[in-house]
Every structure is written in C-alpha cells, then in structure tokens.
Amino acid sequence: MVDLDELQKQIYQNKINKGFNTTDINKEFCYMYGEVGEAYEAYVKSYDKKELGKEFADIAIYLLGLCEILGFSLEKEILNKIEINEKRIYINGKKIEPQD
C-alpha cells in the first residue's frame, strides 16, 4: 500500500531539490490544470493508455505537492470524504437531502 503522506513529502522534497516552485500557489493550480488538459488530449486524440497514465501521474504529483505546500494530508482528506460519501443517500444517481 502506498503512503500518500510520505509521497507528499517526497514530491515536495524533489521540488526543493530541483528548484521548482513551492511558494506561488496560483502557479501550482495552473500547472495542475495544464496537466488535466494534457490528460484529456491524450484521451481524446488517441486514447494512448501509456501517455494517459503518465498525464494522470503528473496530475497526482501536482496535487500531492500542492497539499504538502499548503500543509494538509490528502490521504486524511480522501478517507474523510469517502466516509462522508458513504453516508449520503442517492436514488438513480441523484443525492437525496435529509429531511429536517
């Protein structure tokens, strides 16, 4: 099993070691958005699974790096959100709001 907290630290340390951005949050969001666009292009143009996988990895790297820069654990956030989602009620794909 992969330890996302450890990956966050490793990705951040690589940014430091290589002199990449670790302070401009807007730039990091833009880079991540660019990687999402590249993944979509890889999917639409040729559905090259190898290239698509690389682009998904880039997205994950930017996301984990951003989480480390901002100081929170993506792993904990994912587990928390899964718990929230499991408690939600859906009918035919539509969320049902609890009645007060």
Side-chain angles (χ1 to χ4, degrees):
M1 187 74 176
V2 174
D3 182 338
L4 289 182
D5 288 334
E6 185 57 38
L7 278 177
Q8 279 186 210
K9 289 174 183 23
Q10 184 179 352
I11 288 164
Y12 180 79
Q13 189 59 52
N14 186 62
K15 285 179 164 292
I16 297 293
N17 293 346
K18 304 273 173 75
F20 293 140
N21 175 58
T22 58
T23 57
D24 188 337
I25 302 306
N26 293 323
K27 187 182 282 189
E28 289 299 296
F29 272 106
C30 288
Y31 287 153
M32 187 168 51
Y33 182 77
E35 294 299 338
V36 171
E38 289 178 16
Y40 181 71
E41 280 187 34
Y43 172 75
V44 171
K45 285 186 177 179
S46 65
Y47 192 56
D48 181 340
K49 285 186 179 183
K50 185 176 181 180
E51 288 305 310
L52 186 56
K54 287 179 185 178
E55 297 304 336
F56 282 152
D58 286 340
I59 294 165
I61 288 167
Y62 274 106
L63 179 60
L64 288 164
L66 192 52
C67 289
E68 187 66 18
I69 290 167
L70 293 172
F72 64 89
S73 165
L74 183 60
E75 181 176 337
K76 288 177 186 167
E77 295 299 327
I78 289 170
L79 293 173
N80 185 43
K81 188 63 177 185
I82 288 170
E83 187 177 317
I84 290 168
N85 288 345
E86 286 176 346
K87 294 175 183 175
R88 289 184 174 159
I89 300 170
Y90 292 85
I91 297 177
N92 295 325
K94 294 184 180 179
K95 183 178 168 187
I96 307 300
E97 296 295 334
Q99 301 296 319
D100 291 332

